[in-house]
Amino acid sequence: MDWTYFFNEVVNNRDALLHGTAITFAVSLIAILTGTVLGIVIGIAVTYGNKPLRWPARLYIDIIRGTPVLVLVLATFYVSAAVGLNFNAFQAGALALTLFCASHVGEILRGALQSLSRGQIEAGRAIGLTFDGIFRYILFPQALRYALPTWITAAVEMVKASTLLSVIGVAELLLTTQQIISNNFLNMQFYLLAGVIYFLIDFAIEQVGRFIGRRLDQPTRRTV
Amino acid sequence: MTPIVEVRDLHKRFGELEVLKGIDFTVAEGEVVSIIGASGSGKTTLLRCLNLLEEFHRGDVLIGGEAIGYHLRRGQRVRIGEREVARQRAMTGMVFQAFNLFPHMSALDNVTLGLTKVRGMPRPQAVELADHWLDRVGMLKRRDHRPSQLSGGQQQRVAIARAIAMSPKVMLFDEATSALDPERVGEVLETIRSLAQEGMTMVLVTHEMRFARDVSDKVVFMEDGRIAEQGPPQRLFLNPESPRLQAFLKTSSF
């Protein structure tokens, strides 16, 4: 194998590679952050909402989670254009991943909240907290701890799912890699390189997750 | 003098099943009242009605003279709003069978949560008060421990501190020692006893007959959703009138 040629090609295509990595990173980050916020709202609605809130939330989770991400990506891209929303490929792709992420986070949070014992709510009520306070100080902090490992898995899934945006022409890391390969035919080398970059992104997410986990597990603050 | 707790003609249904069929009783200030009876007799439900963890369908519960849970609007019984319910619940302190401490908080923060978020107390003051009560139940040394690092008896003592720090008008104990290892029961009963001796008003649902006999001013015997007999412990335990209570006492261990 001619490694010099490969390294030369990496250097020649470094801007494209960096750009592709940045796009993958950006679209994943948008999907994970906004998807998590939206997912928390949906998770709360499906767990504690009254019927008019609970049913749409339940339906949303079931439908979106049951749809292949590729279908979701294509649907968002073409449907948004058909209804006159002027999304470019990046925006449509980010929206699709956000919707997908939200459905997973919603379900993860529901599971975590429902695993908490009923006694926690009652203990909160007994000291005179309203539901807002019970949720904020008692239920949510505990659910976060339970949900964190699954949430990290979901975040990693989002990075992997971002490769599907290549089909609607978002020049993320996979599409960029394919474009480079079509010029120099270094299939194995460049796919391997892309694999390493994806691994590093996912590894970084897991480290961030571990860090948050350690922060959450620290004893509550000491006071004098 | 107004009683601290007054229950009048209290009825409670779970669907078709009527578990409370007209309960009347009062608790005067400083009084310790034990509710005894077989499981399924409605004693825990009665206690839970006193702080609105259960709704009730007929009758009144007055805490410190204030009717809780409902008010009358044009002759109709209407359930009051969430904020009012929360305020009324804080008039009573509840200790649960399963402790129900908040596992993600230290013992100290379990006690200060209600003080800061419900009573609006500044944190330094809340900590001072929490320390006082943790000391009182013998848990000051463990204030920075999480519930998982404490034994059942220690957790229950923290739970007692959490409830009493809110300065409730009455403390409610729902089988506070039933979930404990036998060797841990004593420390919790001792804590309850010393609070009783200081004049805290209390209602206890308990299976500890000896304890009920020793600390109570009044014992209420429940049977099938009704109060079958109530009175001073000496009379109930030594000279039970109703055959039901006689039978119940025979099967209970002392």
Side-chain angles (χ1 to χ4, degrees):
Chain A
M1 197 158 53
D2 189 354
W3 286 103
T4 337
Y5 179 46
F6 169 61
F7 285 126
N8 278 337
E9 278 299 290
V10 171
V11 174
N12 290 341
N13 290 294
R14 64 182 186 278
D15 287 346
L17 280 169
L18 280 176
H19 187 254
T21 306
I23 295 287
T24 290
F25 192 76
V27 84
S28 305
L29 197 68
I30 292 171
I32 292 167
L33 292 183
T34 49
T36 297
V37 173
L38 188 61
I40 288 172
V41 175
I42 291 167
I44 295 169
V46 88
T47 317
Y48 301 115
N50 50 11
K51 261 189 185 169
L53 276 175
R54 196 167 71 238
W55 278 98
R58 183 76 260 166
L59 213 63
Y60 174 88
I61 290 177
D62 287 347
I63 289 176
I64 302 288
R65 279 204 333 148
T67 310
V69 197
L70 182 58
V71 174
L72 217 54
V73 170
L74 291 170
T76 312
F77 187 53
Y78 291 110
V79 171
S80 66
V83 298
L85 286 167
N86 254 333
F87 288 156
N88 59 31
F90 180 88
Q91 290 166 331
L95 178 62
L97 290 186
T98 298
L99 296 176
F100 184 64
C101 183
S103 71
H104 276 270
V105 171
E107 184 65 10
I108 292 168
L109 186 64
R110 183 201 60 77
L113 286 170
Q114 284 185 343
S115 74
L116 301 177
S117 101
R118 170 119 201 111
Q120 291 292 306
I121 297 182
E122 294 193 342
R125 285 181 178 161
I127 57 172
L129 286 170
T130 54
F131 186 78
D132 285 351
I134 294 173
F135 184 78
R136 241 172 94 191
Y137 306 117
I138 300 170
L139 302 176
F140 191 64
Q142 291 185 61
L144 265 189
R145 285 165 173 78
Y146 286 125
L148 190 67
T150 341
W151 179 83
I152 294 168
T153 312
V156 167
E157 283 304 317
M158 290 310 123
V159 177
K160 293 196 253 171
S162 73
T163 53
L164 296 168
L165 303 195
S166 59
V167 298
I168 54 170
V170 178
E172 41 68 73
L173 183 57
L174 180 66
L175 187 58
T176 306
T177 304
Q178 287 170 335
Q179 283 163 351
I180 294 170
I181 289 171
S182 67
N183 287 326
N184 57 27
F185 305 107
L186 294 172
N187 275 293
M188 192 189 75
Q189 292 88 331
F190 271 91
Y191 276 131
L192 216 61
L193 178 65
V196 168
I197 295 173
Y198 279 115
F199 172 78
L200 288 176
I201 294 176
D202 288 343
F203 186 73
I205 292 176
E206 275 177 28
Q207 291 309 308
V208 171
R210 291 230 176 100
F211 175 74
I212 298 174
R214 275 198 301 274
R215 286 292 301 266
L216 288 178
D217 274 340
Q218 264 167 21
T220 32
R221 73 208 135 116
R222 297 172 77 97
T223 26
V224 251
Chain B
M1 203 173 64
T2 356
I4 297 289
V5 179
E6 187 172 0
V7 177
R8 294 189 207 134
D9 191 34
L10 185 69
H11 288 252
K12 160 77 186 168
R13 282 192 314 267
F14 286 112
E16 293 289 290
L17 183 71
E18 192 168 39
V19 285
L20 298 178
K21 304 170 179 172
I23 302 281
D24 293 272
F25 84 106
T26 58
V27 183
E29 185 166 2
E31 220 177 9
V32 176
V33 176
S34 292
I35 305 175
I36 60 171
S39 29
S41 59
K43 52 193 194 308
T44 286
T45 307
L46 169 58
L47 193 74
R48 288 165 61 86
C49 284
L50 300 185
N51 72 347
L52 299 172
L53 285 178
E54 300 290 352
E55 300 179 16
F56 43 90
H57 298 93
R58 214 171 88 198
D60 301 296
V61 175
L62 286 79
I63 305 288
E66 179 180 344
I68 61 167
Y70 303 89
H71 57 103
L72 289 176
R73 192 183 291 154
R74 293 191 206 94
Q76 290 281 315
R77 232 167 79 103
V78 186
R79 196 164 162 75
I80 57 171
E82 195 200 1
R83 295 204 145 270
E84 270 298 281
V85 170
R87 185 187 62 78
Q88 292 181 338
R89 278 192 182 122
M91 298 196 296
T92 61
M94 182 84 163
V95 175
F96 299 90
Q97 183 177 357
F99 330 135
N100 295 348
L101 288 182
F102 309 128
H104 58 301
M105 294 179 186
S106 64
L108 177 69
D109 286 342
N110 264 275
V111 183
T112 57
L113 182 69
L115 297 173
T116 53
K117 305 303 177 193
V118 177
R119 297 276 188 243
M121 202 179 273
R123 183 153 173 96
Q125 230 177 299
V127 170
E128 198 176 313
L129 186 59
D131 279 349
H132 165 76
W133 284 110
L134 285 170
D135 192 26
R136 188 66 190 67
V137 300
M139 290 299 297
L140 186 59
K141 276 187 188 152
R142 306 282 165 105
R143 76 205 274 262
D144 294 314
H145 286 53
R146 295 282 185 92
S148 59
Q149 299 167 309
L150 302 173
S151 73
Q154 292 173 330
Q155 289 188 52
Q156 194 61 300
R157 287 189 278 149
V158 172
I160 291 171
R162 173 176 72 180
I164 204 165
M166 299 290 289
S167 32
K169 293 182 195 299
V170 53
M171 285 282 285
L172 311 173
F173 293 86
D174 183 11
E175 299 187 21
T177 58
S178 299
L180 295 173
D181 295 335
E183 66 265 33
R184 299 288 182 185
V185 170
E187 66 187 63
V188 172
L189 291 184
E190 222 20 74
T191 304
I192 299 174
R193 185 197 306 269
S194 74
L195 294 174
Q197 280 162 356
E198 279 178 17
M200 186 77 218
T201 312
M202 297 183 178
V203 181
L204 310 121
V205 166
T206 184
H207 291 296
E208 300 283 339
M209 292 304 147
R210 188 192 298 271
F211 183 72
R213 188 188 62 192
D214 294 347
V215 302
S216 313
D217 301 303
K218 182 160 84 182
V219 174
V220 172
F221 171 62
M222 283 189 68
E223 164 73 30
D224 191 28
R226 292 193 177 84
I227 292 177
E229 201 169 333
Q230 57 177 316
Q234 299 82 349
R235 187 172 68 67
L236 257 78
F237 286 113
L238 297 177
N239 293 306
E241 285 168 10
S242 63
R244 301 271 203 175
L245 180 55
Q246 289 166 10
F248 176 75
L249 289 176
K250 237 173 245 166
T251 58
S252 305
S253 52
F254 270 81

